[in-house]
């Protein structure tokens, strides 16, 4: 009886130790046990939870610290390759993906519209299956979001949205890492979007509330975000207890904001609308006057390339502008994303205080 009692006591004790250790581990990795990032695609941040987005940013910050600050060599993607499909040209997306993937020991393959004709010479379905046998992951920068959805449906490897008409998730990850580095945390920040209701804004709207960020959006009438995106953003805002404002007054959006953000008013494929768009966006240029109603510590973001009518030189080249660290962080966040989707990598630096 005594032996049996000792055995039961030891069993209970060991179980308690296991539970305590598990809780401690879960707290340390901020819900890491619920992560299932490896093998997934990234078409929109709508599909990622708060903790998953934080994990992506943590991995990105970790790689930046270890490689850039500590000069470590991390061949985490050695033997792997990425197919980069570009229907639309881009300096930052191409350079960040090519240099980042190569820095991690992998091989990037760049495919222009002259190399690959999605849905023309070969169906997107067939292309997805072919690439699944030739590489480990695909980044596609396309016109139609439905192209990405078809690639993801038919591929057996992860698909990353390098930009579509609906979302631009890899840009927003870079923006969040930039703001995290500058402010030290994200929760409680207020971001003012002043410009077009485009794909970059849609990605903000699908993720900001998950990080405790308030959004104030000013778009000209007729240039509002997609109704379905607004509906989901309102739901996320209610769920996470953040504020979401939609207005047509740039100064109202800027009022009390920590971050002023804009983007191009005329995207690729909209060149014929340029004159009308420039007329419709009069009064939306971000200037120091816009910042005068923002928080004293306000900063400025732009995903580039930038035009003078969107933001004047005084703001763009000021100490408040984070556009060039933001551009560099495109590299570290795409690296963090592909490492998370292709490996079981665990960051070495402490978890960021989001």
């Amino acid at each position: 009886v005594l032996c049996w009692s000792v055995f039961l006591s030891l069993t209970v004790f060991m179980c308690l130790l296991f539970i305590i250790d598990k809780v401690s581990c879960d707290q340390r990795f901020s819900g890491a046990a619920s992560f299932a990032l490896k093998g997934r695609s990234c078409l929109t941040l709508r599909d990622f939870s708060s903790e998953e987005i934080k994990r992506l940013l943590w991995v990105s910050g970790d790689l930046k610290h270890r490689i850039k600050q500590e000069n470590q060599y991390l061949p985490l993607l050695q033997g792997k390759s990425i197919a980069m499909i570009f229907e639309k040209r881009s300096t930052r997306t191409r350079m960040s993906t090519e240099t980042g993937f190569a820095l991690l020991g992998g091989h990037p393959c760049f495919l222009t519209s002259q190399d690959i004709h999605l849905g023309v010479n070969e169906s997107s379905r067939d292309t997805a299956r072919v690439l699944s046998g030739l590489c480990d992951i695909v980044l596609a920068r396309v016109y139609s979001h439905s192209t990405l959805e078809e690639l993801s449906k038919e591929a057996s490897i992860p698909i990353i949205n390098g930009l579509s008409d609906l979302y631009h998730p890899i840009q927003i990850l870079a923006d969040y890492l930039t703001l995290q580095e500058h402010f030290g945390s994200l929760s409680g920040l207020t971001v003012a979007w002043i410009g077009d209701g485009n794909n970059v804004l849609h990605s903000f709207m699908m993720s900001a509330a998950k990080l405790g960020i308030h959004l104030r959006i000013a778009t000209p009438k007729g240039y509002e975000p997609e109704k379905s995106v607004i509906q989901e953003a309102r739901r996320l805002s209610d769920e996470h207890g953040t504020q979401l404002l939609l207005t047509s007054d740039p100064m109202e959006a800027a009022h009390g904001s920590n971050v002023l953000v804009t983007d191009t008013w005329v995207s690729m494929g909209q060149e014929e609308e340029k004159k009308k768009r420039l007329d419709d966006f009069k009064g939306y240029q971000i200037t120091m006057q816009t910042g005068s109603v923002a928080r004293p510590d306000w900063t400025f973001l732009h995903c580039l390339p930038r035009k003078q009518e969107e933001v004047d030189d005084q703001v763009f080249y000021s100490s408040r502008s984070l556009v060039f660290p933001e551009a560099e962080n495109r590299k570290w966040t795409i690296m963090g994303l592909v490492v998370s989707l292709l490996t079981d990598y665990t960051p070495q630096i402490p978890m960021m205080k989001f």
Side-chain angles (χ1 to χ4, degrees):
V1 173
L2 179 62
C3 291
W4 182 246
S5 298
V6 171
F7 173 75
L8 287 176
S9 298
L10 287 174
T11 302
V12 171
F13 179 71
M14 293 301 294
C15 288
L16 286 173
L17 284 179
F18 174 79
I19 293 171
I20 291 170
D21 181 69
K22 186 178 187 303
V23 170
S24 175
C25 182
D26 287 348
Q27 290 175 342
R28 179 186 174 192
F29 293 108
S30 187
S34 64
F35 294 133
L37 295 174
K38 186 177 180 181
R40 286 175 58 178
S41 289
C42 179
L43 306 190
T44 167
L45 293 178
R46 177 177 182 172
D47 299 334
F48 289 76
S49 69
S50 300
E51 296 305 321
E52 288 169 341
I53 295 173
K54 292 174 184 178
R55 175 77 177 207
L56 292 173
L57 295 174
W58 183 22
V59 173
S60 302
D62 175 87
L63 294 176
K64 183 176 184 179
H65 175 78
R66 296 185 67 188
I67 295 173
K68 184 177 181 179
Q69 302 300 328
E70 298 187 349
N71 200 32
Q72 295 185 32
Y73 177 53
L74 301 176
L76 302 173
L77 302 180
Q78 187 169 4
K80 298 186 183 298
S81 59
I82 182 171
M84 302 162 52
I85 301 173
F86 277 61
E87 289 186 338
K88 302 176 76 171
R89 65 186 184 275
S90 168
T91 302
R92 279 148 297 280
T93 301
R94 178 177 179 180
M95 285 299 297
S96 62
T97 307
E98 283 197 0
T99 59
F101 208 86
L103 188 58
L104 292 167
H107 180 69
C109 304
F110 179 67
L111 302 169
T112 69
S113 56
Q114 295 178 331
D115 302 303
I116 189 169
H117 301 81
L118 286 175
V120 181
N121 288 347
E122 186 171 43
S123 69
S124 297
R125 178 183 184 180
D126 290 356
T127 297
R129 296 187 177 190
V130 168
L131 292 178
S132 293
L134 298 176
C135 61
D136 300 279
I137 192 167
V138 172
L139 179 141
R141 186 175 172 91
V142 299
Y143 284 98
S144 174
H145 192 74
S146 61
T147 301
L148 289 167
E149 292 175 331
E150 185 172 7
L151 287 173
S152 181
K153 178 183 176 182
E154 298 296 335
S156 58
I157 57 176
I159 306 295
I160 295 176
N161 180 359
L163 176 142
S164 70
D165 58 349
L166 196 55
Y167 297 114
H168 197 356
I170 59 174
Q171 176 61 55
I172 299 307
L173 290 174
D175 290 0
Y176 289 148
L177 182 60
T178 305
L179 295 178
Q180 170 71 29
E181 291 173 337
H182 182 79
F183 289 103
S185 64
L186 296 175
S187 181
L189 291 180
T190 299
V191 172
W193 176 274
I194 299 173
D196 192 13
N198 64 10
N199 49 6
V200 179
L201 174 58
H202 288 168
S203 286
F204 263 125
M205 295 172 72
M206 291 297 98
S207 56
K210 297 175 183 178
L211 297 172
I213 297 174
H214 309 293
L215 270 182
R216 302 175 68 87
I217 300 166
T219 57
K221 293 182 179 179
Y223 294 90
E224 297 88 354
E226 293 282 342
K227 291 182 179 180
S228 61
V229 175
I230 294 176
Q231 183 178 5
E232 177 64 10
R234 290 194 189 281
R235 187 193 69 78
L236 289 171
S237 183
D238 291 340
E239 178 184 342
H240 295 278
T242 61
Q243 300 170 8
L244 176 65
L245 170 73
L246 288 97
T247 179
S248 58
D249 183 353
M251 297 302 283
E252 182 182 8
H255 188 269
S257 296
N258 303 98
V259 189
L260 305 181
V261 192
T262 192
D263 189 11
T264 181
W265 296 346
V266 185
S267 298
M268 278 181 258
Q270 298 175 335
E271 288 79 8
E272 294 182 0
E273 307 171 29
K274 182 175 181 178
K275 186 179 184 305
K276 182 179 186 306
R277 281 179 165 265
L278 292 181
D279 289 339
D280 292 343
F281 280 84
K282 283 182 179 177
Y284 277 75
Q285 184 190 47
I286 293 181
T287 65
M288 286 297 179
Q289 183 180 357
T290 315
S292 67
V293 298
R295 296 280 179 88
D297 63 348
W298 69 271
T299 58
F300 173 75
L301 293 177
H302 192 303
C303 65
L304 306 180
R306 158 259 187 175
K307 303 293 188 301
Q308 179 78 31
E309 62 266 14
E310 299 150 7
V311 53
D312 66 9
D313 284 351
Q314 190 177 7
V315 171
F316 187 77
Y317 291 110
S318 73
S319 59
R320 295 184 179 275
S321 176
L322 302 177
V323 295
F324 297 112
E326 176 188 13
E328 180 191 338
N329 279 336
R330 286 291 305 277
K331 174 178 178 175
W332 302 109
T333 47
I334 195 66
M335 289 167 67
L337 179 60
V338 294
V339 165
S340 297
L341 300 183
L342 290 178
T343 76
D344 294 311
Y345 180 75
T346 298
Q348 302 300 303
I349 65 171
M351 179 69 167
M352 297 173 177
K353 296 181 180 180
F354 293 101

